[in-house]
């Protein structure tokens, strides 16, 4: 369970810092937007009606939670997969008499 938390926690921290820091650019949510692609294409229209911290902080963090869960599940499956049996190789035998 804890393996599913680092990416969502970092994303939520990014959103909170973006909200708290004073910005000089016109749209301070550009970095969370870029990090959340392709989901941000759906989130941007929502951020006109709902505060961006809620949109990116909740939905974007949920997006990263799902991505991280899938990555952990794939990693576990790969780790549990047994390697194929090794075929014996034809070559000089070790420890035998030399000619």
């Amino acid at each position: 369970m804890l393996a599913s938390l680092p990416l969502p926690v970092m994303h939520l921290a990014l959103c909170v810092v973006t909200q708290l820091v004073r910005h000089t650019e016109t749209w301070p949510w550009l970095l969370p937007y870029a990090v959340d692609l392709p989901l941000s294409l759906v989130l941007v229209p929502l951020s006109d009606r709902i505060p961006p911290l809620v949109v990116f902080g909740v939905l974007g963090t949920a997006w990263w939670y799902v991505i991280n869960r899938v990555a952990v599940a794939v990693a576990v499956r790969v780790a549990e997969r047994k390697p194929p049996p090794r075929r014996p190789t034809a070559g000089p035998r070790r420890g035998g008499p030399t000619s």
Side-chain angles (χ1 to χ4, degrees):
M1 181 68 180
L2 287 177
S4 299
L5 293 178
L7 292 176
V9 167
M10 288 189 301
H11 181 271
L12 186 60
L14 171 68
C15 292
V16 169
V17 167
T18 301
Q19 179 69 32
L20 294 177
V21 173
R22 291 183 183 247
H23 297 281
T24 57
E25 63 266 8
T26 57
W27 196 57
W29 290 93
L30 183 61
L31 183 58
Y33 171 84
V35 168
D36 288 345
L37 278 171
L39 182 69
S40 3
L41 299 174
V42 176
L43 296 181
V44 168
L46 290 175
S47 65
D48 291 339
R49 288 177 251 133
I50 303 171
L53 179 60
V54 173
V55 172
F56 287 102
V58 174
L59 298 176
T61 300
W63 166 252
W64 279 102
Y65 179 78
V66 169
I67 290 173
N68 207 30
R69 290 289 297 205
V70 169
V72 167
V74 168
V76 167
R77 281 190 100 176
V78 168
E80 289 175 349
R81 186 172 43 179
K82 294 180 182 177
R86 296 183 66 171
R87 292 184 172 179
T89 58
R93 294 184 180 184
R94 295 186 184 179
T98 58
S99 352

